[in-house]
Every structure is written in structure tokens, then in C-alpha cells.
Amino acid sequence: MIEKIREYLGSEADSLLNHQTKTIPASSITSPSPTYLDDVFTYTNRNNQVLRSLQSLFGTGRLANTGYVSILPVDQGIEHSAGASFAKNPAYFDAENIVKLAIEGGCNGVASTLGVLALTSRKYAHKIPFIVKINHNEMLTYPNKFDQVMFASVDQAWDLGAAGIGATIYFGSPESTRQLQEVSEAFQRAHELGMFTILWCYLRNPAFASGGTDYHTSADLTGQANHLGVTIEADIIKQKLPTNNGGYTALNMGESSYGKTDKRIYTELTSDHPIDLTRYQVANCYMGKIGLISSGGASGDNDFAEAVKTAVINKRAGGMGLISGRKAFQRPMDEGVKLLNAIQDVYLCKDVTLA
């Protein structure tokens, strides 16, 4: 298995597989394990029904009872328009195929819209954990606007048999304060009903693209978004892999004043290595006590290699898994299954260790 992973990583194999972090040590974080729920969540305020729902997630699919998760998310029909999302593979206009791909691909759960999961719930909700994404950014208003608004209620998710709910906050946007309040209330209600919560902690503000560099995926800013997410009791954090650092520094140049930072973030807590940058994201999730799952990203020319690379970085940093959609569903189902399995193989491979 490790040789296949090395093949996918190509010239980056040694750098990614042999890196040993000298920033935040592995011994200081809680990394995924078969006893993760017992080690962490049995001491929290989450009720027994939430624990049972989390166990259904961690006990399903090829990664069952490892502490790692592989989730198929397909809400792009709203976020990116159905045509743009499914034109490559029109079979996925049919909601049932989304759930079938998650099951055939050995995923721990499937995250999608209220409509998709409600349409298939009586047939599949007992076969794979459903995660209802309750808010979305619709792209039909002209001109396009970027605001996550509620499409579904927590009670609707519970009624159709969901094990968990998901939501997005666009941290840094003018609308983020309202979104933060809405999602916090929704997460409280989900926990009352016994469902777990996943937060898409994304950044959104034109000012974050500064001086020719896009800091929407900088480690320091995304790390703080993660920290805000765990503060409102997200049980799992979804975040994009960091591609750079120094967002706070860039936004505080000249006469500007933004946020609060500390130079030790850049000199002691991170380096320019992608595993160390991701380790900082994990640290902001209460040192890994709340799991970090990385986004699989858009589909491209080297999907298998990119997916495996993301999984290696996430796992070695102390993350909990991948939530990968477009790379899987924008291809024939058998190829989508193969891609999901390639991701899962990274987490099953004992030779890919914590850095």
C-alpha cells in the first residue's frame, strides 16, 4: 500500500512521508484512534444520543473503528449550480446515485442537501449516516452574492433520520456575525436531538487577497476560523488545506489594523512545510480533540495524486480525514469509488504516521 501512495506522491514522496515536525510536537495533540470517542467525547456535555450518532459515523465504511473518517459531500448543486457540477457526469442529477457512491465507496457518511437526503431517506438512512447541510450560498441572484443562508431546519434533518448536520460560516465576511449566531443556535438544537455537528470553517472577504497573494487559505487565518468553530461546539471541523501563512501580517501592513497576532505563530508554531501549516490548524481545534477534516478540493487533471497528497498531509498533521466530493462524483461511479478508496488507503496504511 505504501508503494502505491509513494507512486501517487511522485517527487514529493520523501518530503511528505519523512517530514518530522519541529513546531508543535505530535505528543501534544490528540490524534485519531480506535478509542477516540471514549477518550474525548465521553467527558463532554454531549448527550448519549450524540455519542451514539458519532459512533455510527466512526463505525461505518472502510475506515470503521479507526478514528478516521471519509465523507462524501455533494451540495454543489446549490453552491456551484447543478449544471456546472453535474455536466461532467449527469448521472448525479439523480439524488440516489449520490448516496450509492458513498456506500459503494466505503465512506463513513454522506453529506448533502435536505432535498437529496429526504428523497432517499427511507431507503438508505439506516445504511449510512446522513449529514444534512442546512445552509448554502445560492448562486442564482444577480449579481451573485456570497452569503450562507438557512435552507433547512435542524428538526427536518432529524425527521428524515440524519445522524448529523453540517453548516458553513463565511468567517471574515460582513454576514459572518449573523451566520455565527444562526449556526450556534442550530448546533445547540442538533445536540439536543442527538445529532452531531460539522462546521465548514471557510474564509470569505475580498480584502484577504492582498498584495498579489490570496490569504483565504493562510494557516493563521484558517486556524482562527477553526478555533471559532470549536467554540460553538462543532464536533468536527472542515477546512481547506493551508497554502501559505501570514494573513494577519499582510492585513496589518501600512496604516491598517486587523485582528490580533503574535510573531511566534510564524517563528515557533509553524514552518513553511504543508504538514506543519496543517498541524497549526489542528492545534486550533483544541489540540486535535475536535477532529479536523480537510476539503478534497476541485476536480482537475491529477485528481488521484492530489487527493492522496491531501490525505497524507492531513493524516501526518494529526487530522481526522478527508471530505472529498467533486473529485469523486465528477467521474464514472467505478472511478469515483476507486478515488475514495485511494484516500481511505492512506488512513489504513500504518506506514503513514504522525509527523
Side-chain angles (χ1 to χ4, degrees), residues 27-191:
S27 60
S28 67
I29 67 169
T30 299
S31 58
S33 73
T35 60
Y36 166 75
L37 288 180
D38 291 337
D39 295 341
V40 175
F41 273 89
T42 54
Y43 297 97
T44 71
N45 66 341
R46 276 47 156 197
N47 62 44
N48 288 345
Q49 298 292 350
V50 174
L51 296 182
R52 185 167 67 174
S53 295
L54 280 168
Q55 180 55 50
S56 73
L57 181 74
F58 285 98
T60 299
R62 293 183 72 228
L63 299 182
N65 303 314
T66 63
Y68 294 104
V69 296
S70 166
I71 298 172
L72 177 73
V74 186
D75 62 348
Q76 282 84 358
I78 296 173
E79 298 279 343
H80 302 151
S81 93
S85 298
F86 305 135
K88 288 184 179 180
N89 192 356
Y92 288 96
F93 277 110
D94 185 337
E96 185 172 2
N97 285 329
I98 293 171
V99 182
K100 283 182 176 179
L101 174 60
I103 293 173
E104 293 297 319
C107 292
N108 299 70
V110 56
S112 195
T113 64
L114 173 68
V116 165
L117 297 180
L119 191 68
T120 59
S121 61
R122 289 186 183 271
K123 188 171 183 178
Y124 293 108
H126 58 294
K127 296 181 180 179
I128 186 170
F130 278 14
I131 303 156
V132 177
K133 182 71 163 44
I134 61 171
N135 68 355
H136 303 282
N137 177 52
E138 60 87 10
M139 295 287 284
L140 198 56
T141 300
Y142 184 86
N144 286 159
K145 60 181 181 180
F146 298 93
D147 185 11
Q148 290 284 329
V149 297
M150 290 293 177
F151 271 56
S153 72
V154 176
D155 287 63
Q156 285 176 300
W158 185 83
D159 286 341
L160 65 81
I165 65 165
T168 298
I169 294 176
Y170 281 153
F171 288 106
S173 71
E175 299 80 18
S176 63
T177 300
R178 190 205 79 245
Q179 295 167 11
L180 188 61
Q181 293 169 328
E182 290 175 347
V183 173
S184 179
E185 291 175 3
F187 281 8
Q188 179 185 13
R189 178 58 177 161
H191 284 152

Side-chain angles (χ1 to χ4, degrees), residues 8 22 32 66 75 121 177 205 269 275 299 325 331 354:
Y8 281 129
K22 294 180 173 60
T66 63
D75 62 348
S121 61
T177 300
N205 194 304
L269 302 183
I275 292 173
S299 181
R331 54 185 2 101
L354 202 62

